[in-house]
Amino acid sequence: MNVTVNGKRHDVPEGCTAGELMDRLELPRTGVAIAVDGAVLPKARWASALADGAAVEVLTAVQGG
């Protein structure tokens, strides 16, 4: 199946979860937020399977003032 991560298309296995996607793309699991199809995905739901064609945004937390 295909998902788009930060504008780039990726082939992932059927049933791939958000957490597995982070591992597969070698992205950190801390200090980030994941939005799927425009909605923030709580970390408690990172074990949920992504849908084919999902648009995923991985956002890094930054400090500022």
Side-chain angles (χ1 to χ4, degrees):
M1 73 178 198
N2 292 299
V3 295
T4 303
V5 180
N6 294 350
K8 186 175 178 186
R9 194 172 175 156
H10 294 273
D11 290 321
V12 295
E14 194 72 32
C16 184
T17 67
E20 291 168 346
L21 180 65
M22 298 296 283
D23 293 342
R24 179 177 274 282
L25 299 179
E26 297 180 354
L27 296 171
R29 285 181 171 240
T30 57
V32 297
I34 298 175
V36 178
D37 296 328
V40 174
L41 187 67
K43 213 166 214 172
R45 293 193 47 221
W46 282 22
S48 302
L50 297 169
D52 187 32
V56 179
E57 295 292 327
V58 179
L59 310 164
T60 304
V62 293
Q63 289 182 306

